[in-house]
Amino acid sequence: MKQLWKQWIKPQPLSESAYHQQVKQFGYAGQRQKDWIRFFVMLFIFGVFTFLFLSVFQGEVSFELSIFTIRIWEWMLAVFGGGALGVAGFLLQKVTRNNLADVSILGIGSLNIIFITIYIFRFYHDGVSNQELVRQFLPLITISSSILGTGIIYALAKLGQKSQDRFIIIGIGLQFLFEAISIAFVNPNNSGASSSKTSFVFTQINNFALGKFPTEINELAASFSWKLTTLASVVLICLIVGVVWILRRKIDIIEANENLAKSYGINVELIKFVIYFLVALLAGVEAAMIGTIALLGILAPNIAKIIFGNRSSTNVWASFLIGGSLVLLAAFISVNLVLDIPIGFLSTAVITPYFIYMIIRKRD
Amino acid sequence: MNSNQPEIFTFNRLKFNYQAPKKWRKYLVYALITLVGLIILMVITMINVRYANNGRFGFKELFYVFSTNNLFNNNKELLAQLPLDHNNPNNHHTFGSSGYVDLEPIKKAVWVSLASAVAGIGFAIAGSITQGLTNNPIADPTTFGITESAVFGAVVMNVLVGNLVHADIYQYVFLSFVFLGGAIAIWFILLIIKSGGAKKNHYLKITLVGLAIGIFFRTINFLLRSTNADAQKTALAAALGGGENMYSLYSSQYSILYLGLIFMSIALVLAVIFGWKLTVLELGENKAAALGVNTKIVKVVGLIIVLISVPVAVSLVGNVAFVGLFAPHVIRMLLRTRSYSIIIPLSALLGAITLSLGLTLHILYRSIPSSIYMVFIGAPMLIYLGWTQKG
């Protein structure tokens, strides 16, 4: 622990040898200090968003406890959902060596929606306790479905001789296919269920498909089991980010050159498998928290890359923070300024122009 | 497509070792295929009209209606003499003895079938031309976001002037706004082509930009739909797609159908005429210029054809995905040709057939709109194309 502090966290004074070391490592001196300053700025912005989100309610500042207790759960969903998407996009981009890979573009998100639809249709009966129960086990369903989706993509990437283009096109195709299947499922004429159940199920599925906070958040915030599930999801996300941080060096080396990594004694296939598994976990947990937020997973790691350069050690945290802040901003707007707009749509409207700019500006 | 490599040599053979023989046999085959396609299209359209409205009207009654009326004017005296098919249990005295003349369901069935066919032609033309112009195998009105931006135009029209426009000219204003909406995305393609086309920009990048444009417009459509009650009906119908949803948006549906037919025939003729220039353009701009093709004019005309065909198709059937993607590719694979003067008309025929077939499936299973079936065909096609793509 002490060594960790000395080696990584404590800002070191620049002795001559340290200066040379840093120049060797990063190209110019004072990189770590600059990183810290950037992180503090990002944390400050994040804190401002947090403060705004927690204190302002429908255009007015209020610190009532009754609102705050609900707000804190929404905050948790927004930050950790966005963060999970950011980290998942970061990992996918590293492991496929393609800076346009994302959970939403590769069809994993749509597969999750299909499974959520089937699950809620099958297991929801009228009644509050049942609703809590459904919510409680939802993460398991989404995790297994996204493991399935990631497995498909992993298998395709293996079979497809590691060509990135194929990977992306196949992902887009799967995305459209799953979307069509979910539209065919979600059609109200399709089911013979009772009207109250149908309407509930459709609000739920809409919430997940568009990326909204749960409509019955008031009841959920009072339910112990739901809180427990959410906290477990949050802890899981934190653990995954920790695992990624432990693997940061290996990820960087694998991205740079697989043969080099093999000669260093890294088990490349195992690490790749672990990364895909982590992506599946992150996507599944996130799907049960907010739902689909398109393109966020592309954006967050790319902004992080612009700010920090291409280093896993900083970019894991940076993409987590950027993803969380963007979703938080979108949630703030959707709660206060324009009522009842899904977060997913709002953040997509913010993200897409930047995404287009990002693609056009880059020259191969 | 690696399988089509020999066709390029065919082109060279034309120039340098000219061999006259057996060309007519090939064209005979194409003519036969066209004929068979037209017959299939007619049969599917007849089935669609016959079995729409829960199979309420038999062939006999429909034949009588069509022979005595045109769909503008109901000839009530002749309709009163309609020989009803009393064996049909679904037949509830809609014509004849009760004196009540109800042509509306038949009108709708005919409109939807014809609109699907016309829109299929439009999407297929636009798909093959964008594939030729941008040298991008997965180009399509969907992947370039043109359909979404055209839908955006329709929604904006409803938000801005939806209440002000008189019902008589509603469809014309609608169509012009859809044109404007489609022009946004097409302007964007123009930018991409200008900035170097397929050589400088990797085709995947162009596609991703197009998809991002599509998502952007979808988002804005959703925002407009949720904040503005006027736009809700249009946005829902157009975003879901399918002629059966679009029909109720217009007050006089047939004028827009005839307008669409005129525009589409212009686009089809232009596309067939310019087809061989597109074929040459695929070899590369320098080669095309050396062979005497003005590449600039080809590009401009191609984009104009896309600009005509996609908005017309969208105003008829809304957002239908991937017809422009799979129709040219299927034709290329089946006939092993890269000549656009053959691909364009045949893929137009195939697009019309598949959209009509989607409508037939929709008539069988009411809960799924006809546009969704196109995704079920198109998405596996996209995956296959991605799979066979050379890195």
Side-chain angles (χ1 to χ4, degrees):
Chain A
M1 198 64 205
K2 208 170 179 182
Q3 202 182 354
L4 196 80
W5 164 253
K6 264 188 187 170
Q7 205 174 350
W8 284 106
I9 302 167
K10 187 182 169 193
Q12 289 161 353
L14 285 176
S15 68
E16 199 165 310
S17 62
Y19 176 82
H20 282 299
Q21 201 184 344
Q22 284 199 4
V23 169
K24 229 181 193 176
Q25 202 172 352
F26 303 118
Y28 61 98
Q31 183 72 43
R32 194 162 295 152
Q33 278 81 352
K34 283 185 182 176
D35 283 357
W36 276 110
I37 292 165
R38 285 164 187 159
F39 261 119
F40 279 126
V41 171
M42 274 166 60
L43 273 174
F44 179 73
I45 295 171
F46 177 72
V48 169
F49 286 160
T50 302
F51 178 77
L52 283 174
F53 184 77
L54 290 179
S55 61
V56 182
F57 182 68
Q58 294 188 351
E60 289 175 18
V61 179
S62 78
F63 284 103
E64 282 177 50
L65 197 66
S66 59
I67 292 173
F68 185 78
T69 46
I70 295 169
R71 254 333 145 69
I72 192 76
W73 293 105
E74 287 189 344
W75 179 85
M76 217 172 260
L77 290 181
V79 170
F80 283 89
L85 271 183
V87 175
F90 165 79
L91 285 177
L92 265 180
Q93 289 175 18
K94 284 280 180 191
V95 80
T96 60
R97 270 189 235 162
N98 188 329
N99 63 348
L100 297 174
D102 179 30
V103 176
S104 69
I105 266 195
L106 294 182
I108 302 170
S110 302
L111 191 66
N112 282 342
I113 298 296
I114 295 176
F115 271 78
I116 289 174
T117 311
I118 296 170
Y119 170 71
I120 294 181
F121 251 132
R122 177 73 184 78
F123 289 101
Y124 174 75
H125 315 290
D126 298 303
V128 177
S129 62
N130 178 254
Q131 183 180 323
E132 282 172 11
L133 206 66
V134 166
R135 273 275 180 181
Q136 198 178 358
F137 288 106
L138 191 61
L140 294 179
I141 300 296
T142 50
I143 285 173
S144 52
S145 82
S146 61
I147 285 176
L148 178 67
T150 322
I152 292 172
I153 283 173
Y154 179 71
L156 288 177
K158 275 238 163 190
L159 289 172
Q161 294 159 8
K162 291 161 192 165
S163 163
Q164 301 165 13
D165 304 350
R166 288 179 191 179
F167 193 76
I168 291 274
I169 296 173
I170 289 165
I172 293 167
L174 284 178
Q175 157 77 18
F176 272 100
L177 193 63
F178 291 149
E179 210 176 299
I181 292 173
S182 66
I183 288 174
F185 263 118
V186 173
N187 205 310
N189 307 331
N190 251 351
S191 64
S194 70
S195 63
S196 72
K197 176 184 173 177
T198 326
S199 68
F200 173 80
V201 170
F202 286 124
T203 9
Q204 290 286 313
I205 291 161
N206 259 329
N207 285 354
F208 283 115
L210 305 177
K212 261 186 179 178
F213 288 131
T215 23
E216 69 287 4
I217 186 83
N218 295 339
E219 298 146 34
L220 286 177
S223 129
F224 175 72
S225 58
W226 183 77
K227 282 185 197 170
L228 199 68
T229 315
T230 310
L231 279 178
S233 313
V234 166
V235 170
L236 185 62
I237 290 171
C238 293
L239 279 178
I240 291 169
V241 174
V243 172
V244 174
W245 200 69
I246 290 168
L247 291 174
R248 66 193 184 280
R249 296 266 168 82
K250 291 179 179 174
I251 292 173
D252 271 350
I253 293 172
I254 288 173
E255 195 206 7
N257 191 337
E258 282 188 22
N259 291 333
L260 185 71
K262 272 174 196 161
S263 70
Y264 276 172
I266 298 170
N267 190 344
V268 177
E269 290 306 313
L270 181 71
I271 299 281
K272 276 193 169 182
F273 184 81
V274 168
I275 289 173
Y276 274 110
F277 185 68
L278 294 182
V279 168
L281 283 182
L282 283 171
V285 170
E286 193 278 336
M289 287 170 93
I290 301 185
T292 315
I293 299 173
L295 304 181
L296 181 67
I298 300 177
L299 193 73
N302 277 297
I303 295 179
K305 213 182 265 182
I306 290 168
I307 298 174
F308 289 100
N310 194 5
R311 280 173 295 140
S312 293
S313 51
T314 48
N315 286 17
V316 184
W317 305 108
S319 26
F320 184 90
L321 266 180
I322 291 166
S325 315
L326 280 175
V327 175
L328 204 55
L329 179 66
F332 175 74
I333 292 172
S334 107
V335 170
N336 290 307
L337 301 180
V338 194
L339 287 180
D340 204 34
I341 297 291
I343 301 165
F345 271 102
L346 208 60
S347 49
T348 309
V350 176
I351 288 164
T352 321
Y354 182 78
F355 177 63
I356 292 170
Y357 162 74
M358 198 179 77
I359 294 172
I360 292 172
R361 181 209 47 158
K362 248 193 153 181
R363 300 257 168 235
D364 307 285
Chain B
M1 304 299 305
N2 35 7
S3 62
N4 293 309
Q5 202 65 18
E7 278 305 309
I8 293 169
F9 294 117
T10 318
F11 176 80
N12 286 338
R13 208 185 298 148
L14 263 176
K15 271 290 172 199
F16 303 118
N17 322 316
Y18 181 66
Q19 287 178 347
K22 289 178 185 173
K23 203 120 201 249
W24 59 272
R25 205 180 275 178
K26 216 170 184 181
Y27 281 109
L28 196 69
V29 170
Y30 294 143
L32 261 177
I33 291 170
T34 315
L35 198 68
V36 171
L38 280 174
I39 291 170
I40 292 173
L41 182 63
M42 272 175 62
V43 169
I44 293 174
T45 310
M46 276 164 72
I47 289 173
N48 283 346
V49 176
R50 162 69 178 84
Y51 290 97
N53 312 308
N54 300 321
R56 197 155 137 215
F57 309 115
F59 278 121
K60 207 166 144 193
E61 294 148 27
L62 285 174
F63 182 74
Y64 187 80
V65 169
F66 288 130
S67 59
T68 54
N69 289 262
N70 68 36
L71 285 161
F72 284 126
N73 305 314
N74 309 343
N75 194 339
K76 296 190 181 182
E77 287 173 20
L78 281 172
L79 272 180
Q81 301 164 10
L82 183 75
L84 273 176
D85 183 4
H86 291 291
N87 297 327
N88 189 348
N90 291 324
N91 213 328
H92 304 297
H93 298 289
T94 28
F95 303 119
S97 56
S98 63
Y100 172 59
V101 179
D102 181 20
L103 275 183
E104 224 13 75
I106 298 178
K107 268 187 176 177
K108 182 178 177 180
V110 173
W111 191 88
V112 172
S113 322
L114 288 181
S116 296
V118 172
I121 292 172
F123 282 126
I125 293 173
S128 27
I129 285 178
T130 45
Q131 281 168 21
L133 279 185
T134 59
N135 222 337
N136 178 352
I138 53 172
D140 175 41
T142 318
T143 48
F144 278 161
I146 306 175
T147 45
E148 293 285 352
S149 71
V151 171
F152 169 71
V155 177
V156 163
M157 180 259 165
N158 270 277
V159 171
L160 291 179
V161 291
N163 296 327
L164 307 175
V165 177
H166 193 263
D168 289 344
I169 58 161
Y170 179 86
Q171 57 269 20
Y172 304 115
V173 179
F174 188 90
L175 196 58
S176 49
F177 265 87
V178 174
F179 271 117
L180 288 180
I184 300 172
I186 288 172
W187 171 74
F188 207 82
I189 298 173
L190 192 67
L191 274 188
I192 290 171
I193 292 176
K194 262 192 165 181
S195 73
K199 266 191 181 171
K200 275 189 184 170
N201 302 311
H202 194 251
Y203 73 96
L204 195 61
K205 195 202 264 182
I206 302 174
T207 313
L208 281 169
V209 174
L211 281 175
I213 293 170
I215 292 176
F216 180 66
F217 281 119
R218 201 187 301 169
T219 309
I220 292 184
N221 286 346
F222 183 86
L223 295 186
L224 290 175
R225 190 173 93 198
S226 55
T227 50
N228 194 315
D230 297 334
Q232 199 164 28
K233 198 177 158 195
T234 312
L236 266 175
L240 196 59
E244 68 277 3
N245 296 322
M246 294 296 282
Y247 180 78
S248 56
L249 294 183
Y250 308 108
S251 51
S252 67
Q253 294 88 357
Y254 272 83
S255 55
I256 199 168
L257 181 62
Y258 291 133
L259 208 64
L261 264 171
I262 293 166
F263 273 123
M264 205 58 83
S265 40
I266 292 172
L268 186 60
V269 169
L270 265 180
V272 174
I273 291 172
F274 272 78
W276 73 273
K277 291 192 175 179
L278 272 179
T279 320
V280 178
L281 194 65
E282 246 189 5
L283 297 175
E285 284 199 24
N286 293 336
K287 276 185 189 172
L291 289 166
V293 172
N294 190 341
T295 51
K296 223 174 209 175
I297 287 182
V298 176
K299 282 173 186 172
V300 170
V301 172
L303 285 181
I304 286 173
I305 295 168
V306 176
L307 182 59
I308 293 172
S309 54
V310 177
V312 167
V314 167
S315 63
L316 288 177
V317 298
N319 177 15
V320 173
F322 286 140
V323 177
L325 182 81
F326 66 75
H329 276 293
V330 168
I331 295 294
R332 269 184 207 129
M333 277 172 203
L334 289 181
L335 301 182
R336 300 189 171 268
T337 177
R338 280 197 87 82
S339 164
Y340 275 95
S341 45
I342 291 160
I343 290 173
I344 288 172
L346 287 183
S347 67
L349 196 58
L350 185 68
I353 290 173
T354 32
L355 250 179
S356 305
L357 210 61
L359 192 64
T360 314
L361 287 173
H362 165 74
I363 288 168
L364 280 177
Y365 303 103
R366 294 249 151 218
S367 53
I368 304 176
S370 58
S371 55
I372 299 297
Y373 292 108
M374 296 303 110
V375 183
F376 284 137
I377 303 170
M381 189 73 197
L382 183 63
I383 294 171
Y384 172 76
L385 287 175
W387 192 253
T388 52
Q389 207 48 233
K390 274 182 276 182

